[in-house]
Amino acid sequence: IGDILQKLAPFLKMYAEYVKNFDNAMEQVKIWSERSPQFLLIIQDIQKQEICGSLTLQHHMLGPVQRIPRYELLLKDYLKKLPQDSSDRQDAEKSLELISTAATHSNLAIRKAENMKKLLEIHEMLGEEEDIVNPSNELIKEGQILKLAARNTSSQERYLFLFNSMLLYCVPKFSLVGTKYTVRTKIGISGMKVVETHNGD
């Protein structure tokens, strides 16, 4: 395995170029999906094909970005189980060095890709109605809260998505497939303050 991966190492340059252009590619898909109904229709028709596995184009674009880190994890696990005197150890260690270097150089892009994947998942939860999928948008925190009624002790379930530019206040939405929410309020976070209160206040 080690000698085979060493031979394939030069192709990592292609991977580096893909990762470098990933943000721009995602942005172009977003721009042209909004700008050209024909482009959007073609993308949607392709995504409906069985071979796409019900995943969006953006989900498939994430695949190559996540590929090298998987190779790195597999090689590390392989070396742990490989006998010290194995004829493949030296080649495997060299392969891990080459692949780890490529993975290190792309860590930032991978984090961005993971964030983009999460944004796509939230975009689908919100019925694909909120414009949140762009490279500059970052999810900071999400979670359930309970809204307490002012006149009695009853409570209602609510859900918050906090991004680096806004807070989405959502209510659960009935769905037969997956978790869905409806956005009740969108709040810009510029100048926002968090104040601790108590039920009696």
Side-chain angles (χ1 to χ4, degrees):
I1 294 177
D3 59 328
I4 294 172
L5 286 174
Q6 276 196 72
K7 292 175 183 177
L8 295 174
F11 292 99
L12 294 179
K13 293 179 181 179
M14 296 167 56
Y15 165 82
E17 288 301 314
Y18 183 91
V19 170
K20 190 188 303 180
N21 193 51
F22 178 78
D23 282 353
N24 180 53
M26 292 290 279
E27 182 66 15
Q28 289 302 313
V29 170
K30 178 178 180 293
I31 289 172
W32 283 101
S33 294
E34 296 172 350
R35 186 179 297 175
S36 171
Q38 185 178 5
F39 176 83
L40 179 60
L41 184 61
I42 291 172
I43 295 299
Q44 290 174 338
D45 285 343
I46 293 173
Q47 290 174 167
K48 290 176 184 176
Q49 295 179 20
E50 186 176 348
I51 195 173
C52 290
S54 301
L55 296 175
T56 64
L57 171 62
Q58 291 93 330
H59 274 92
H60 287 292
M61 289 170 67
L62 285 169
V65 175
Q66 299 167 327
R67 184 66 58 188
I68 296 298
R70 289 175 185 169
Y71 289 155
E72 184 181 22
L73 291 173
L74 285 170
L75 262 176
K76 285 180 177 178
D77 188 54
Y78 173 65
L79 279 165
K80 284 180 183 178
K81 298 172 181 177
L82 194 67
Q84 288 294 328
D85 58 352
S86 171
S87 60
D88 194 39
R89 174 161 287 278
Q90 186 174 351
D91 286 332
E93 289 176 345
K94 182 62 177 177
S95 295
L96 178 59
E97 182 183 336
L98 293 170
I99 289 175
S100 295
T101 299
T104 299
H105 290 163
S106 61
N107 275 343
L108 179 58
I110 291 168
R111 285 197 295 271
K112 287 183 178 179
E114 289 173 347
N115 178 65
M116 188 65 69
K117 183 177 181 180
K118 185 62 180 176
L119 292 179
L120 287 165
E121 291 173 355
I122 296 172
H123 184 60
E124 292 174 4
M125 287 182 191
L126 302 179
E128 301 184 356
E129 296 178 359
E130 293 298 322
D131 184 20
I132 62 171
V133 183
N134 64 74
S136 63
N137 201 21
E138 181 180 353
L139 177 69
I140 297 174
K141 197 172 182 64
E142 64 174 296
Q144 179 182 317
I145 63 169
L146 291 176
K147 176 188 176 185
L148 301 178
R151 296 182 179 179
N152 52 54
T153 57
S154 65
S155 61
Q156 297 174 317
E157 182 183 331
R158 295 292 185 264
Y159 205 87
L160 300 181
F161 292 101
L162 177 62
F163 301 94
N164 57 338
S165 60
M166 61 183 168
L167 174 69
L168 297 183
Y169 175 79
C170 308
V171 295
K173 182 180 180 181
F174 175 76
S175 173
L176 294 174
V177 182
T179 305
K180 302 290 182 182
Y181 297 101
T182 298
V183 177
R184 276 285 174 85
T185 309
K186 183 190 297 184
I187 308 169
I189 65 171
S190 178
M192 180 184 291
K193 294 181 180 179
V194 177
V195 179
E196 184 177 356
T197 62
H198 301 282
N199 292 343
D201 292 350

